[in-house]
Amino acid sequence: TNIILGNNLKIVHCNIYVKGNNNTISIDDNSILRNTKLEIVGNNCSIKIGKDCMIGDNCYLSAKENNTHLSIGDDCGLSRNVKVMTSDGHPIFQNNIRINDAKNVEIQNHIWIADNVTILKGVTICNGSVVGINSTVTRTIPAQCIAVGNPAIVVKQNIYWKS
């Protein structure tokens, strides 16, 4: 396991759990993590957090199953109780064929994720977007949009936000 830490980090009361081989966790410069759980279960997996990110209390970032990657770009804010997962946690089969493969998650740059949001496997949240409180993101959110609800849908376009 490789753990790569940038400069000027503030990591407070976090748990890191890694099971498997050839896995990487990287946290870039000037990021803050509070009471966050980072979990990798599988081989050749990664969790990457970019520069100038703030990950709030009780967040859960999970890359489970082989060859899965969870990436968070630069200047992102995840509020409290945000869950981001590359896997459903258990395989589900229909006619002896797995129907819920794990998939990567990408949170691009300058994203704001409000309290109690869940981001599921296969999702990309594109640059400059916002996800509203208590939302469940099941599909890609385009750039510069606000998405809310369960499942989250785009309610505003062509937005920008300031930290």
Side-chain angles (χ1 to χ4, degrees), residues 17-18 20 29 33 36 42 48-49 51 59 67 78 99 101-102 105 109 121 125 140 149 162-163:
Y17 177 79
V18 180
D29 299 344
L33 283 77
T36 295
K48 180 187 183 317
I49 298 170
K51 296 177 185 174
C59 287
N67 305 305
L78 279 66
I99 60 172
D101 291 328
V105 174
N109 299 312
K121 65 184 185 177
I125 300 176
T140 294
K162 296 181 181 181
S163 25

Side-chain angles (χ1 to χ4, degrees), residues 38-141:
L38 304 173
E39 176 182 60
I40 292 178
V41 178
N43 301 313
N44 306 308
C45 300
S46 67
I47 296 175
K48 180 187 183 317
I49 298 170
K51 296 177 185 174
D52 304 309
C53 290
M54 195 286 299
I55 313 294
D57 285 325
N58 298 315
C59 287
Y60 173 68
L61 307 178
S62 175
K64 281 188 177 178
E65 301 193 40
N66 294 341
N67 305 305
T68 59
H69 307 283
L70 186 164
S71 65
I72 298 172
D74 296 338
D75 191 34
C76 291
L78 279 66
S79 191
R80 292 168 294 276
N81 305 311
V82 174
K83 294 179 183 176
V84 184
M85 300 172 289
T86 63
S87 168
D88 294 337
H90 299 282
I92 300 171
F93 298 90
Q94 182 179 38
N95 301 318
N96 292 321
I97 298 170
R98 186 165 180 191
I99 60 172
N100 69 330
D101 291 328
K103 297 177 184 172
N104 298 337
V105 174
E106 179 184 10
I107 297 171
Q108 294 182 349
N109 299 312
H110 193 62
I111 304 297
W112 176 247
I113 310 294
D115 289 12
N116 304 314
V117 169
T118 300
I119 299 169
L120 299 178
K121 65 184 185 177
V123 164
T124 298
I125 300 176
C126 298
N127 293 321
S129 287
V130 174
V131 179
I133 197 165
N134 295 323
S135 295
T136 300
V137 184
T138 61
R139 60 181 171 259
T140 294
I141 304 298

